[in-house]
Amino acid sequence: EVAVVVGTADEQRHLTEFLTTVTVEPPPADAVYRSHLSRRGLFDSPWQNWSGATRLLWGASPGDAARLAKIVDEVSRRGGDEHEVERAYLGWAEELRKWFGSHPGLLDQTLMIAAATITPADETQVYGAASSLARHLEITLAGGGLAWTPTTGLSELLDAERDEDQIVFRRYGYAESLLPHVFAEYPLARMELLSWLAKLPTDTVLALERTLGHRLVRTFADLAARYNKYEKITQMARTWAAGPAADLAYIALTQTCLHPLVGGRVRSKLYEWSRERQAPQSLKLTVVQVCEILGQTHLSIAMTRLKHLATHGDERVRLEVLDVARALADLDPAAVFSTALKWAASTSQGSGADMIGRLDVAMRLLLDLLPSFGGPELRQVLEIVDHLVTNGAPQLRTRLLDWTRELAAGYPVHVLILALSLTRNGTPAVKQRATFGTDLFLALTVSLDFEEHSSVLERSGPVDPMSCTLAWRTAFAATREFPHFGEALRVWLDTAATREDLRPSLISALTTAAHPSPASRQLLTDMVRSWAAAGRGRRTVREAILTRVLLPEWQRWLLLAWVRLRTTAF
């Protein structure tokens, strides 16, 4: 295995004594620019040799080169020229400074900001958004609506155009550059601008289209992250997620949870929400969905948050957690499998519905992933079951039993062997192991009874029926604790009646288990008589069992003599 540490020369200075340093230079920006042009179908275009690109990309990063290629592609498709490409690449900084210098009036400026933010939009929406911004900035509107520039001069004021009843900005990237320009030039207005921008998507008066609302949230998240306003991001995300606008919270959180400046703080807030028991369900569901994006880069961080959501969420939240964990398992199945094992093991440290919920998600996830792995992973799962039976809270065992029965559908022999191994630990200190093992054994005998008369033993291969003696002994001693006892005994007896090859060992297992206890012998006697009376062809099994367990002893000897006499005579 090879470990690679990526960083600048200063960051790696203290590692040079024991690590080999390899200097990696990024590709030249102009080469990246031409490569992206070719990928966009402009491989023989005059833009390939445009001299302005060399000038603009001097000292630029590969990312800047890719952005310039995109601008060239978009502008050329619309018939734009080199001048527009250059201005768009530079963010229209010169033009925007000129416009704001020529229009110092706050009302004109709010109109411009509003129109560029929500474009394309009709005039009423532009004025409505500008009025909302004015309130956020505490700008006095002397004369109310009459204070604004009239509609006849609106497009001229904004250097915009009309498309039917809408105000549009034709220059590529001009409208998108305006808010970043304002944020850079007017730092004291940033928080109010962010608050205004965050309210626009859910403004019932403006009633903006949903797609525009999503775009505004992306703009909000980008600007808030750029200026390290992570509190505003998480505050608005919680507000949106707690109401009908959870999709807006998802956009804001997925766009910022990996951001180099605010990503760590956003991820910390996701962790806090995942552990908040009383958090709104819509917020929990949003965090689950965000974890699918987060997990593609930081798998362990995402899985930690999913663990807490599975612990504190309801059934719907747990189902969503399971779906996201399955999706992440497609990227790294081994890591997700290992994490699910840890989730399951950690449930032994708590109790109550929370732990049952976490165990349920972990076990279902393990069940989904096991077919992709082999024997070592199956052994790990069975060891977890053993660990939980021994150390887990009693209320976990019912769900654990159900899940282990599901596991047995794919791995019947392994689960049966586990059940029988648990019954061998019947000392008072670990009585729960013997009880669980017996319950599981009886449940398996019933659930795998697929032809009325065939038992788990017919599919168990190397499992000797005599190894089930301890399980039957525990069951005979406390039949009320095992709801499957009666049906399991019937399956066992049916198998003995129809399978001559298994009959001796099946009968020996039952009689050996019951023999030490007179009460168990009487119980087996009664149940065998009842079973034999309900069908024909069962006398052989009935007599074989009763000649070993019937009480009082004189009756057993008398029956034994009669059976021998009859078989000898006939």
Side-chain angles (χ1 to χ4, degrees):
E1 297 183 0
V2 178
V4 178
V5 181
V6 180
T8 65
D10 288 339
E11 291 171 336
Q12 297 191 35
R13 194 181 310 280
H14 65 289
L15 304 176
T16 55
E17 294 183 1
F18 54 90
L19 287 181
T20 302
T21 302
V22 178
T23 302
V24 179
E25 296 291 345
D30 56 345
V32 174
Y33 162 75
R34 287 190 292 272
S35 174
H36 277 266
L37 284 182
S38 298
R39 291 170 59 185
R40 292 175 176 273
L42 299 173
F43 47 85
D44 57 354
S45 165
W47 291 102
Q48 286 276 359
N49 299 312
W50 177 41
S51 60
T54 303
R55 174 171 46 83
L56 292 173
L57 293 175
W58 179 261
S61 68
D64 292 329
R67 183 169 66 88
L68 179 59
K70 178 182 179 182
I71 293 173
V72 167
D73 185 25
E74 296 289 341
V75 171
S76 62
R77 289 176 188 276
R78 297 168 53 244
D81 56 15
E82 298 172 356
H83 179 79
E84 184 178 357
V85 169
E86 182 172 347
R87 297 298 181 270
Y89 178 78
L90 297 174
W92 298 98
E94 182 179 341
E95 286 73 14
L96 289 171
R97 288 194 193 95
K98 181 179 178 180
W99 189 94
F100 276 90
S102 303
H103 300 82
L106 295 178
L107 295 183
D108 288 348
Q109 292 182 2
T110 54
L111 273 174
M112 180 60 147
I113 294 171
T117 299
I118 67 172
T119 186
D122 61 44
E123 294 170 342
T124 301
Q125 290 177 319
V126 170
Y127 284 112
S131 177
S132 171
L133 177 57
R135 288 194 299 273
H136 273 81
L137 297 175
E138 298 182 354
I139 298 174
T140 303
L141 297 177
L146 295 177
W148 301 104
T149 297
T151 59
T152 53
L154 184 60
S155 58
E156 182 179 355
L157 170 71
L158 303 177
D159 287 343
E161 298 180 24
R162 291 181 181 271
D163 185 357
E164 296 181 352
D165 62 340
Q166 292 188 318
I167 299 295
V168 296
F169 294 84
R170 298 293 187 191
R171 290 176 287 183
Y172 179 82
Y174 183 81
E176 293 82 356
S177 299
L178 193 137
L179 267 179
H181 171 82
V182 173
F183 267 71
E185 295 290 322
Y186 303 97
L188 295 181
R190 287 171 187 165
M191 288 305 297
E192 292 303 328
L193 285 168
L194 282 176
S195 296
W196 167 73
L197 194 56
K199 292 240 172 31
L200 287 180
T202 55
D203 191 314
T204 56
V205 176
L206 290 177
L208 300 176
E209 292 184 0
R210 193 175 190 85
T211 53
L212 175 55
H214 289 178
R215 193 190 79 200
L216 292 175
V217 171
R218 284 191 287 271
T219 301
F220 159 81
D222 176 66
L223 290 170
R226 186 184 305 181
Y227 291 98
N228 200 22
K229 304 299 181 183
Y230 61 88
E231 303 98 331
K232 193 66 178 177
I233 297 170
T234 55
Q235 174 196 352
M236 289 309 306
R238 172 143 197 162
T239 300
W240 288 326
D247 55 331
L248 305 183
Y250 173 79
I251 293 171
L253 293 171
T254 53
Q255 187 161 331
T256 57
C257 68
L258 299 173
H259 193 277
L261 187 58
V262 302
R265 301 295 183 90
V266 173
R267 294 192 292 271
S268 295
K269 184 58 70 171
L270 293 173
Y271 179 77
E272 179 183 319
W273 288 337
S274 72
R275 291 171 56 89
E276 186 179 332
R277 188 183 303 275
Q278 300 303 323
Q281 184 193 56
S282 55
L283 176 61
K284 293 179 181 179
L285 291 171
T286 300
V287 176
V288 173
Q289 294 163 359
V290 172
C291 283
E292 184 169 0
I293 303 301
L294 176 61
Q296 295 174 21
T297 303
H298 299 296
L299 180 60
S300 63
I301 292 176
M303 292 297 289
T304 298
R305 283 139 188 80
L306 290 174
K307 176 186 72 173
H308 293 301
L309 289 161
T311 303
H312 302 302
D314 61 11
E315 179 62 19
R316 183 182 174 190
V317 171
R318 290 195 291 271
L319 288 174
E320 290 291 332
V321 168
L322 187 59
D323 286 343
V324 169
R326 286 167 175 160
L328 295 177
D330 291 337
L331 303 175
D332 193 341
V336 174
F337 183 86
S338 175
T339 302
L341 281 174
K342 294 176 182 176
W343 288 6
S346 66
T347 58
S348 64
Q349 302 168 4
S351 60
D354 289 350
M355 293 298 104
I356 293 175
R358 183 194 298 181
L359 176 64
D360 190 55
V361 173
M363 291 304 193
R364 280 190 279 178
L365 187 56
L366 291 171
L367 192 63
D368 288 343
L369 296 177
L370 260 180
S372 302
F373 295 97
E377 288 75 18
L378 176 58
R379 284 193 296 274
Q380 287 180 306
V381 173
L382 295 175
E383 288 170 1
I384 286 293
V385 174
D386 191 320
H387 170 76
L388 291 173
V389 170
T390 305
N391 303 292
Q395 53 265 50
L396 295 178
R397 293 186 195 124
T398 299
R399 183 63 192 101
L400 187 62
L401 179 65
D402 293 339
W403 180 85
T404 311
R405 290 175 62 186
E406 293 181 41
L407 179 65
Y411 309 93
V413 176
H414 297 84
V415 176
L416 178 59
I417 292 173
L418 170 67
L420 297 178
S421 70
L422 292 172
T423 64
R424 299 189 192 106
N425 296 275
T427 61
V430 286
K431 180 182 177 182
Q432 69 272 16
R433 290 170 57 84
T435 301
F436 183 91
T438 300
D439 207 356
L440 178 58
F441 163 74
L442 297 174
L444 291 177
T445 303
V446 172
S447 63
L448 298 180
D449 173 26
F450 59 96
E451 291 179 355
E452 293 296 329
H453 55 73
S454 58
S455 75
V456 64
L457 297 172
E458 294 201 47
R459 302 172 67 183
S460 63
V463 177
D464 182 358
M466 287 300 295
S467 66
C468 306
T469 299
L470 289 177
W472 281 118
R473 183 168 297 168
T474 302
F476 284 134
T479 56
R480 293 183 180 180
E481 294 186 26
F482 306 109
H484 300 292
F485 171 75
E487 189 176 357
L489 182 59
R490 178 190 62 78
V491 169
W492 196 275
L493 294 173
D494 286 346
T495 306
T498 57
R499 289 287 301 273
E500 293 185 15
D501 56 327
L502 291 175
R503 185 179 301 160
S505 57
L506 291 173
I507 292 174
S508 293
L510 288 178
T511 55
T512 302
H515 203 274
S517 167
S520 297
R521 292 172 66 175
Q522 187 61 52
L523 173 64
L524 181 58
T525 297
D526 294 341
M527 297 192 72
V528 167
R529 282 173 168 168
S530 176
W531 166 80
R536 301 177 63 182
R538 300 179 174 182
R539 186 174 68 176
T540 301
V541 173
R542 176 179 64 84
E543 291 179 345
I545 293 176
L546 294 187
T547 54
R548 300 187 188 189
V549 299
L550 184 64
L551 291 174
E553 286 292 333
W554 66 268
Q555 290 188 10
R556 184 175 72 82
W557 285 110
L558 183 60
L559 175 61
L560 182 59
W562 160 246
V563 170
R564 287 179 177 176
L565 178 62
R566 189 189 74 238
T567 53
T568 301
F570 297 99

